[in-house]
Amino acid sequence: MSNIASKILVPVGFSEQSIIALGQAFSLAKIKNSEVVLLSVIEEKSSMFDIFTINDIEYDKMKIKVMNKLKEIALEHSKKYGVEVDSMVAKGSVYEKVCEVANMINADLIVMGTNGAPKGITKKFIGSNAEKVVRSANCPVITIKGSNHKDGCENIILPLDLEKQTQEKVAYALEYARYWNSTIRIVSVVLKNNENVRGQLMSNLKLVEDFINNAGVKCTTELLEAEKKISLSEAILDYEKRFQSDLIMIMTKKEESISDSLSVTARNIIYNSEIPVMSIHSKSRARRINPTTAF
């Protein structure tokens, strides 16, 4: 591998969705001047064996076939985007190997598909593994569910609550908005009759809007009012549909009541959004006394 500082890791399960994610990763890598690292993970008794040959083939032979396929994909995309590519094949648990390799190469981003695979092929790879990668990776993870995505990004949806991690999320939003000259659309959700929180959110929105505008990036803000029966994630996804949005940025964290789990809001956004979702872990892992909702 080269000494390029920025590296984007793309898990490839050879499904249609993982190839769509691949295109998005290369488009971003060209802008970021990043190297792309393709990774395929072979699990024992995995359906990936069926893509190439019979189930009982030896791992070494399978590894050669998978690597050759990866190199074909790497060559095609490297020529198309002018981006340096490396390819790796590992054996073991998909999400564990993805996170292990991400740490090993010091990846600053992981891009992977979340559904859309043909029946019986890489089903596990894009199902629970995607969520496990999101909650375990030490770098941001972009998950891609839909099928029609632009190479650029006109609008970035940035949901904000009253969490202390706002500064981290805004920093990432500014970075990626500058890559594409995007508009950051900040949105918060308040339940009706919750005037106390409403005032705090409006003040928070104004502070963040001024900060982003002063940084020279286009920005809008909106406070949404939701009924109790409407989940926070549904309000965000409904808001996203009002614009030609291309990316939702959320901050993820562990809920104290459910060990090693994403919040319900984060999970719903990741699995129901038709546009890519970037999940960012807070650097602070300190336990909170009062339960909060992470976007």
Side-chain angles (χ1 to χ4, degrees):
M1 281 194 262
S2 73
N3 291 321
I4 297 176
S6 175
K7 291 184 174 66
I8 298 176
L9 178 63
V10 187
V12 179
F14 303 104
S15 68
E16 179 183 358
Q17 198 61 34
S18 67
I19 299 303
I20 290 173
L22 193 63
Q24 292 291 301
F26 272 94
S27 177
L28 187 54
K30 186 173 183 179
I31 298 173
K32 285 168 57 76
N33 190 32
S34 303
E35 177 184 353
V36 172
V37 178
L38 308 182
L39 171 67
S40 279
V41 181
I42 299 176
E43 293 184 287
E44 291 181 343
K45 299 181 181 178
S46 167
S47 56
M48 185 183 288
F49 282 80
D50 297 332
I51 298 175
F52 301 100
T53 185
I54 59 176
N55 290 332
D56 59 354
I57 191 169
E58 297 91 341
Y59 167 70
D60 287 342
K61 293 181 180 179
M62 173 58 64
K63 182 177 180 180
I64 292 172
K65 291 192 175 186
V66 173
M67 179 60 79
N68 287 340
K69 183 64 176 177
L70 277 183
K71 287 182 177 179
E72 287 179 17
I73 294 173
L75 182 60
E76 175 188 350
H77 285 76
S78 179
K79 287 182 177 179
K80 180 178 179 180
Y81 291 92
V83 171
E84 187 171 346
V85 190
D86 196 4
S87 302
M88 300 178 65
V89 178
K91 181 182 180 182
S93 164
V94 173
Y95 89 91
E96 288 180 351
K97 288 301 178 182
V98 170
C99 293
E100 180 183 313
V101 171
N103 290 335
M104 181 181 71
I105 67 174
N106 197 26
D108 57 300
L109 182 65
I110 298 170
V111 180
M112 64 187 300
T114 57
N115 69 9
K119 263 188 178 180
I121 298 178
T122 63
K123 182 179 179 182
K124 289 184 178 179
F125 187 86
I126 57 165
S128 61
N129 282 303
E131 181 175 327
K132 289 177 181 177
V133 170
V134 167
R135 75 186 190 218
S136 302
N138 291 321
C139 64
V141 180
I142 292 181
T143 49
I144 297 177
K145 173 178 179 283
S147 58
N148 298 315
H149 306 291
K150 296 181 296 186
D151 284 343
C153 180
E154 294 180 15
N155 294 291
I156 296 174
I157 304 297
L158 187 66
L160 291 184
D161 54 15
L162 298 176
E163 286 293 297
K164 294 179 180 179
Q165 294 88 1
T166 293
Q167 185 176 357
E168 290 178 56
K169 188 157 48 171
V170 170
Y172 276 108
L174 283 173
E175 176 187 351
Y176 282 81
R178 286 170 174 148
Y179 290 143
W180 294 299
N181 191 30
S182 310
T183 296
I184 299 175
R185 299 193 179 276
I186 310 171
V187 59
S188 289
V189 182
V190 62
L191 296 178
K192 285 185 176 180
N193 303 320
N194 199 338
E195 297 302 321
N196 218 9
V197 172
R198 183 192 302 273
Q200 295 179 62
L201 286 172
M202 289 181 67
S203 176
N204 195 39
L205 285 173
K206 178 60 177 172
L207 286 173
V208 177
E209 180 182 23
D210 289 344
F211 179 81
I212 292 175
N213 283 330
N214 289 336
V217 173
K218 294 172 287 186
C219 177
T220 68
T221 61
E222 188 164 348
L223 181 62
L224 303 179
E225 193 172 78
E227 299 284 355
K228 288 185 178 180
K229 64 180 180 180
I230 301 177
S231 72
L232 295 172
S233 57
E234 287 175 331
I236 298 300
L237 294 173
D238 286 344
Y239 174 81
E240 177 272 316
K241 291 181 175 66
R242 290 164 49 188
F243 306 97
Q244 292 182 338
S245 305
D246 307 289
L247 181 68
I248 300 176
M249 285 190 169
I250 63 174
M251 184 71 74
T252 62
K253 65 176 184 182
K254 295 180 181 179
E255 288 183 310
E256 298 300 336
S257 60
I258 306 177
S259 179
D260 283 339
S261 178
L262 295 177
S263 72
V264 173
T265 303
R267 183 184 293 110
N268 286 344
I269 290 176
I270 290 168
Y271 283 109
N272 293 304
S273 173
E274 292 298 324
I275 66 173
V277 177
M278 175 182 280
S279 301
I280 305 161
H281 271 309
S282 170
K283 293 179 181 177
S284 173
R285 298 287 183 171
R287 185 180 187 278
R288 297 180 181 279
I289 297 175
N290 297 318
T292 55
T293 302
F295 286 118

